[in-house]
Amino acid sequence: MAEPAGRLADPAVEARLARLDEVLAGLENTPGPALEAVRLLTEVYGEALARVLDGADERLGARLSGDELVGHLMVLHGVHPRPPADRAARAVELLRPAVRERGGDLEWAGIEGEVARVRLDSGSSGGCGGGCGGGSADIAAAVREAVLAVAPELTDVEIVPGGEERKAAPAFVPLGTIKRRSVPQEAG
């Protein structure tokens, strides 16, 4: 499908983003107004995006946030309508079919503080069923990258082994409460 006039295809966007990273890296070490101009422009564009979202209904907001490029802009400017946990869980679900094809499985395990937790079962043979190439280390790296790309507010991604279940600490019950019984007194 051809892009509408004036629009960029995804590969062209990716090439421009790569070049932008290079240019911004060079600007970081350059004193003067250029870096301030970039910062101010970014703030103004972020405010414009926030105003668009303020006027959008829920369906349009979901559609906009579902677009990878627009979703990243929303995250960058702190205006994404979905919380980080929802975005990270969705990223895990999107990776799940590829991991299952290799004999493993992924499961979203939640967030503790600012750290995402993802359960990784690397398959019965201990290496993604023997067919995942680089093994669970490659999968773990892909999971980290995908989760932090959609939820950069998080500081890390903890990979939890698939067989590990979170065990609650046993409840402490004082022995005295177990031994005490009220014995009915005989009527006399």
Side-chain angles (χ1 to χ4, degrees):
M1 181 169 114
E3 297 295 323
R7 301 282 305 276
L8 299 174
D10 286 347
V13 171
E14 290 171 13
R16 282 169 174 76
L17 288 173
R19 177 66 182 132
L20 180 61
D21 282 343
E22 292 172 8
V23 171
L24 288 175
L27 276 179
E28 287 178 359
N29 300 322
T30 306
L35 189 57
E36 182 180 7
V38 170
R39 184 183 56 75
L40 292 171
L41 185 61
T42 301
E43 288 176 8
V44 170
Y45 280 2
E47 178 60 24
L49 180 59
R51 290 180 184 193
V52 167
L53 292 172
D54 286 345
D57 63 17
E58 190 174 313
R59 217 172 96 199
L60 178 58
R63 186 169 163 223
L64 290 171
S65 65
D67 178 276
E68 185 178 9
L69 180 60
V70 177
H72 283 297
L73 285 175
M74 293 169 141
V75 168
L76 174 72
H77 294 294
V79 296
H80 201 289
R82 294 175 59 202
D86 289 356
R87 298 189 313 260
R90 174 85 173 123
V92 169
E93 284 305 310
L94 290 173
L95 285 173
R96 196 171 196 191
V99 174
R100 283 182 167 173
E101 283 180 10
R102 291 165 176 80
D105 200 7
L106 285 178
E107 180 184 353
W108 175 247
I111 291 181
E112 286 186 14
E114 295 179 346
V115 177
R117 293 177 46 97
V118 178
R119 193 165 286 112
L120 173 60
D121 180 0
S122 46
S124 58
S125 68
C128 296
C132 68
S136 60
D138 289 344
I139 293 172
V143 169
R144 278 189 180 90
E145 182 179 331
V147 167
L148 294 176
V150 299
E153 304 94 328
L154 302 175
T155 58
D156 198 9
V157 177
E158 179 184 355
I159 303 299
V160 180
E164 179 182 309
E165 293 299 322
R166 300 191 86 198
K167 296 178 183 172
F172 175 73
V173 179
L175 186 57
T177 61
I178 296 174
K179 289 184 145 187
R180 280 191 211 141
R181 289 190 192 167
S182 57
V183 178
Q185 292 185 339
E186 293 182 24

